[in-house]
Amino acid sequence: MLDSSNQKYIERYKDITPDWQGFLDSLFEPLPPVIWANTFKVTPEQLLESLSILDSQWSMIPWDSRGIKLDSSLRPGKFLEYPMGLFNIQEEVSALPAKVLDPKKDDLVLDICAAPGSKTVQMAMMMENRGTIVANDIKAQRIKLVRMSLARLGIMNVSTSVRSGAQLGPVDTLFDKVLVDVPCSCEGTSRKSSNVFRNPQKPFLSYRGGLQLAILRRAVSLCRLGGRIVYSTCTYRPEENEWVVDKILKDNNLKILNFKVDGLIIDPGVESWGGETFSKEVRKSGRIWPHRNNTGGFFVALFEKI
Amino acid sequence: MKQIETKKYLEVLSDRYGIPIESFDSFKVYQPNSRYISFCPKDHNPPDGIPLESTGVYLMKTRISHPKLTTTAVQILGKYAQKNIVHLKKEQVEAYFLRKPVEISIEQMVNVKGNGYVIAKYMNHSIGIAVVDQEFGKVYLKSLFPKNWT
């Protein structure tokens, strides 16, 4: 729950949040677990039949046919189908960036901050386990987590690397698609870890998205002309979201694209924050508030390199 | 990653499990280190310029007296296997995942041609590797399921 100091901190979002009370009420509500069928091994229908759970205990994710939302009482890691590699566990909204990037099996794809790997796995499935994903992370221990998921699910179209995202490359062949899901202050995960607001992560509070901008700039340099880049965070802070988008647009080698996902309520990016006015184009980015879709919080922006 | 001549390893798989060598036509096989070989799709081509820590998944552990398919490889290739397969019941699968010995019946041994590695299956899914063992007139599977997958 929020104490008085964090309540004061949270108030900073009051003017940019639709249905403020609904937002406050949602912040610490438990998230329903979501599983995603491993379509190399089963269809979602076959998976449901195998799980033998009551009809009242599941529903399909409206915007992705692989996703199944489960009753909060269920523990999907305990199902036999989990070590069998028939599904992956991934919070619903964290599947949005890869959905928006939409990698195809002929694409050369980079996941520049890949760990723990659920988005890498998701993209591999979208690419039908073909073609090439390079999954990178700065920490070797965290890339180990990516490799464990890939092994359990039988995903073969991924090579891994351990580098700072801000210093990756250069490469001889530029990527068609780049996912830039940067480290952030994780405020949107409060429904999973209630300590997020109790202990705001000071490094991210102090430098206003500098590291995130550096990683995004590096990603742009590794992307081909006409290629696509998705920038995403799981925080509400405009300093790590719209501020970064505004700055990268001023580099004049990207255009930001509109996107929509049927079945998901996505609010536009904010146009100003902390006395700073951003480019109107920033409104094309998307905010996912936890109370609007019964999910965690996220921010996504889709770009094309020009 | 160094691509390697695969024939000797594929022959091991063909001899033991009846996996046709043609099953590998859509893969590339690499030797990332002295203990394992790994494989990936033929159209997997990461660009030069990023030092890679891994490519694809491990196929076989090779630096042992009898090269062994990895659990990941079993889950990918098991559908092509024709022999040395044991179909498990639900309660046996639970024990298998916990790496406990699994007693199996004579009927479950019908597709097993002698001692050694077998592919464990459940509900038509290939789930991993085990070793057949016999003690006090009973037949057991010794589970080789990875500890950190459950």
Side-chain angles (χ1 to χ4, degrees):
Chain A
M1 296 301 290
L2 289 170
D3 57 31
S4 56
S5 65
N6 290 304
Q7 177 83 40
K8 194 173 167 206
Y9 173 80
I10 277 282
E11 294 268 326
R12 74 201 307 257
Y13 299 129
K14 197 165 182 180
D15 291 340
I16 64 170
T17 309
D19 181 13
W20 175 244
Q21 191 56 50
F23 171 65
L24 288 181
D25 291 343
S26 74
L27 280 180
F28 300 109
E29 283 295 304
L31 268 175
V34 177
I35 63 174
W36 302 80
N38 182 352
T39 43
F40 310 128
K41 298 183 181 178
V42 282
T43 64
E45 294 74 25
Q46 288 167 337
L47 177 59
L48 279 167
E49 196 179 325
S50 178
L51 292 174
S52 300
I53 52 179
L54 297 173
D55 282 350
S56 59
Q57 293 183 303
W58 65 270
S59 59
M60 300 304 292
I61 296 294
W63 53 276
D64 192 312
S65 58
R66 286 189 317 115
I68 303 168
K69 191 179 288 195
L70 301 177
D71 186 86
S72 301
S73 63
L74 295 175
R75 296 287 173 266
K78 301 284 186 197
F79 294 147
L80 284 183
E81 289 79 2
Y82 181 76
M84 288 168 68
L86 299 193
F87 65 83
N88 200 27
I89 303 170
Q90 182 184 5
E91 203 269 287
E92 179 183 350
V93 77
S94 90
L96 180 61
K99 176 86 173 175
V100 172
L101 188 65
D102 192 25
K104 305 284 190 237
K105 60 185 174 204
D106 298 329
D107 286 332
L108 180 56
V109 178
L110 172 63
D111 189 350
I112 203 167
C113 303
S118 56
K119 297 178 188 66
T120 314
V121 160
Q122 182 191 357
M123 291 196 292
M125 293 195 190
M126 294 169 78
M127 294 166 71
E128 300 173 30
N129 213 4
R130 299 269 310 277
T132 306
I133 299 175
V134 175
N136 176 75
D137 204 87
I138 193 171
K139 289 186 180 169
Q141 270 303 106
R142 285 177 59 77
I143 273 290
K144 248 176 120 170
L145 298 175
V146 177
R147 292 181 64 186
M148 275 173 56
S149 290
L150 300 176
R152 185 179 60 80
L153 294 159
I155 289 171
M156 310 172 65
N157 65 339
V158 180
S159 288
T160 59
S161 67
V162 180
R163 279 289 183 279
S164 161
Q167 294 167 351
L168 200 60
V171 291
D172 64 339
T173 307
L174 296 174
F175 291 94
D176 300 301
K177 303 224 168 112
V178 185
L179 180 60
V180 190
D181 183 54
V182 290
C184 68
S185 50
C186 300
E187 291 174 353
T189 67
S190 63
R191 296 180 68 178
K192 282 193 295 189
S193 27
S194 55
N195 280 337
V196 161
F197 291 117
R198 198 163 288 136
N199 300 307
Q201 293 179 38
K202 290 198 174 109
F204 292 105
L205 292 181
S206 64
Y207 61 54
R208 287 174 61 93
L211 170 64
Q212 293 142 337
L213 182 59
I215 294 172
L216 180 54
R217 281 195 166 123
R218 194 65 187 174
V220 173
S221 76
L222 295 170
C223 184
R224 66 166 174 83
L225 281 179
R228 293 215 166 170
I229 296 160
V230 161
Y231 174 80
S232 61
T233 76
C234 59
T235 188
Y236 306 119
R237 300 185 76 236
E239 294 94 327
E240 298 172 54
N241 294 334
E242 287 89 345
W243 184 88
V244 173
V245 171
D246 184 64
K247 288 290 171 284
I248 202 76
L249 287 174
K250 288 180 163 74
D251 288 352
N252 287 322
N253 54 8
L254 287 183
K255 69 177 179 186
I256 186 168
L257 303 176
N258 278 312
F259 68 91
K260 71 177 262 199
V261 175
D262 291 332
L264 200 59
I265 301 172
I266 301 173
D267 291 287
V270 300
E271 287 186 43
S272 64
W273 181 260
E276 199 169 339
T277 302
F278 304 131
S279 158
K280 285 191 165 28
E281 290 290 289
V282 170
R283 280 185 64 78
K284 292 178 182 174
S285 54
R287 280 184 165 264
I288 298 85
W289 296 100
H291 54 305
R292 303 274 267 166
N293 300 284
N294 191 18
T295 61
F298 237 80
F299 174 86
V300 177
L302 171 64
F303 301 95
E304 183 177 300
K305 188 165 173 181
I306 55 174
Chain B
M1 292 279 184
K2 188 174 126 190
Q3 235 176 314
I4 59 167
E5 176 49 50
T6 58
K7 193 161 180 267
K8 62 178 178 180
Y9 297 112
L10 303 189
E11 282 172 353
V12 167
L13 299 180
S14 181
D15 288 345
R16 182 70 193 164
Y17 306 110
I19 295 175
I21 289 180
E22 300 76 54
S23 312
F24 288 87
D25 285 349
S26 57
F27 302 123
K28 292 189 279 201
V29 182
Y30 288 92
Q31 181 115 46
N33 54 56
S34 59
R35 293 186 304 139
Y36 287 93
I37 55 173
S38 59
F39 66 145
C40 67
K42 244 187 182 135
D43 58 0
H44 182 74
N45 293 304
D48 287 335
I50 298 178
L52 298 176
E53 184 239 16
S54 74
T55 286
V57 292
Y58 286 148
L59 168 58
M60 293 177 80
K61 189 170 186 178
T62 53
R63 209 170 69 182
I64 46 178
S65 49
H66 300 287
K68 181 180 78 67
L69 266 179
T70 63
T71 302
T72 303
V74 165
Q75 293 192 0
I76 295 168
L77 298 169
K79 61 187 175 193
Y80 302 117
Q82 307 293 321
K83 54 183 176 176
N84 288 307
I85 299 166
V86 175
H87 292 271
L88 299 180
K89 301 173 191 164
K90 187 175 179 183
E91 58 275 13
Q92 293 173 319
V93 171
E94 289 166 348
Y96 173 81
F97 284 147
L98 292 173
R99 295 171 62 89
K100 294 179 180 172
V102 178
E103 187 183 347
I104 55 176
S105 67
I106 299 296
E107 291 76 25
Q108 287 176 298
M109 288 285 288
V110 69
N111 203 344
V112 177
K113 315 298 179 194
N115 291 334
Y117 299 124
V118 293
I119 287 174
K121 286 199 170 192
Y122 174 61
M123 308 254 302
N124 280 332
H125 294 287
S126 304
I127 61 172
I129 279 281
V131 175
V132 173
D133 201 5
Q134 298 194 43
E135 197 174 58
F136 308 119
K138 293 184 180 176
V139 184
Y140 291 91
L141 286 191
K142 181 183 167 191
S143 168
L144 298 179
F145 196 74
K147 283 182 212 168
N148 55 10
W149 280 31
T150 49

